[in-house]
């Protein structure tokens, strides 16, 4: 395995999955039979995801746990991450007798067609519907930047970003989210609510899609 932590101090900036890591053999895990041949490997097992989310929840509580939290969940790919993160924050706050109030709102972004980013980023959020023109690639951080500009319109007291995955890509974002789960190679991954044309959301693990899978579910 070629995993490491990056960051300074106790609060790490993500578990780094190095280039060349092929992932785990599929035969070591249970996954839906109808996806046999459509995925190459398990990049991050579900148990590892959940453990990492517990660490992120701990860091969030330590830094901003004394405030009322308004959580903005980015649909559709972020719904599992958001639900599990909020559940972990609540569970840990109860165990420490912290009085924490949380609210959850939802916003939807869509910028991918097949495995490529499109030119338009659609943002659908509470009390607002808009379309932002321009190249919008999640992996380069441009989508995150556009979303933050959108959120600032509502004048929040403070904004923190939690991201389960950050891809290493050429000309990637200079600034990482405030809370990072994993830093991964530039590979198209599915599962744990991440999709390819609405398929693979039902996978519990984060997996690497195969070329066969891309062709099978291409639109």
């Amino acid at each position: 395995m070629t995993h490491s932590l990056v960051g300074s101090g106790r609060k790490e900036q993500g578990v780094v999955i190095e280039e060349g890591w092929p992932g785990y053999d599929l035969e070591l895990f249970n996954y839906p039979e109808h996806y046999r041949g459509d995925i190459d490997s398990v990049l991050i097992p579900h148990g590892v995801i959940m453990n990492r989310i517990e660490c992120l929840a701990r860091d969030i509580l330590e830094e901003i746990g004394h405030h009322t939290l308004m959580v903005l969940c980015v649909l559709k790919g972020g719904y599992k991450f958001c639900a599990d993160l909020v559940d972990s924050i609540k569970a840990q706050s109860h165990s420490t007798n912290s009085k924490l109030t949380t609210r959850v709102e939802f916003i939807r972004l869509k910028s991918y067609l097949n495995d490529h980013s499109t030119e338009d980023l659609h943002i659908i959020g509470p009390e607002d519907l808009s379309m932002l023109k321009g190249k919008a690639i999640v992996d380069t951080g441009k989508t995150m930047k556009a979303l933050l500009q959108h959120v600032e319109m509502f004048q929040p007291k403070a904004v923190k970003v939690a991201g389960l995955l950050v891809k290493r890509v050429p000309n990637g974002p200079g600034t990482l989210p405030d809370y990072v789960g994993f830093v991964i190679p530039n590979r198209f991954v599915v599962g744990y609510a991440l999709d390819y044309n609405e398929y693979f959301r039902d996978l519990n693990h984060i997996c690497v899609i195969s070329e066969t899978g891309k062709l099978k579910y291409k639109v």
Side-chain angles (χ1 to χ4, degrees), residues 131-195:
M131 181 195 301
L132 303 183
K133 295 290 185 181
K135 193 72 172 177
I137 306 175
V138 175
D139 310 330
T140 65
K142 291 182 180 179
T143 299
M144 185 173 72
K145 181 178 179 180
L147 177 58
L148 289 175
Q149 291 174 344
H150 179 76
V151 170
E152 291 292 346
M153 295 168 53
F154 297 92
Q155 299 181 328
K157 183 176 180 180
V159 178
K160 297 287 185 178
V161 178
L164 180 62
L165 303 177
V166 173
K167 284 187 181 180
R168 288 190 302 276
V169 296
N171 302 315
T175 303
L176 293 174
D178 302 283
Y179 307 99
V180 178
F182 302 89
V183 182
I184 67 173
N186 187 20
R187 305 175 74 182
F188 198 88
V189 294
V190 294
Y192 194 67
L194 300 172
D195 76 302

Side-chain angles (χ1 to χ4, degrees), residues 41-56:
S41 63
V42 173
L43 190 67
I44 310 174
H46 183 257
V48 176
I49 297 170
M50 297 304 294
N51 185 270
R52 182 70 190 128
I53 287 174
E54 290 180 4
C55 294
L56 295 180

Side-chain angles (χ1 to χ4, degrees), residues 89-167:
I89 289 172
K90 288 181 178 179
Q92 293 187 45
S93 68
H94 292 161
S95 66
T96 59
N97 295 319
S98 300
K99 294 183 179 180
L100 179 67
T101 302
T102 60
R103 285 183 53 197
V104 180
E105 291 285 356
F106 300 91
I107 195 166
R108 184 177 178 187
L109 304 182
K110 185 171 179 60
S111 63
Y112 269 89
L113 179 65
N114 298 322
D115 59 345
H116 297 288
S117 177
T118 64
E119 294 294 326
D120 298 329
L121 169 65
H122 296 270
I123 300 181
I124 306 171
E127 303 177 352
D128 187 64
L129 171 64
S130 61
M131 181 195 301
L132 303 183
K133 295 290 185 181
K135 193 72 172 177
I137 306 175
V138 175
D139 310 330
T140 65
K142 291 182 180 179
T143 299
M144 185 173 72
K145 181 178 179 180
L147 177 58
L148 289 175
Q149 291 174 344
H150 179 76
V151 170
E152 291 292 346
M153 295 168 53
F154 297 92
Q155 299 181 328
K157 183 176 180 180
V159 178
K160 297 287 185 178
V161 178
L164 180 62
L165 303 177
V166 173
K167 284 187 181 180

Side-chain angles (χ1 to χ4, degrees), residues 7 16 20 23 27 29 32 47 52 56 64 73 79-80 86 101 129 141 169 175 182 191 201 204 218:
V16 177
E27 298 307 313
F29 301 89
R52 182 70 190 128
L56 295 180
I64 56 177
C73 175
Y79 81 86
K80 277 192 176 182
V86 170
T101 302
L129 171 64
V169 296
T175 303
F182 302 89
R201 293 194 194 276
N204 286 328
K218 186 176 181 179

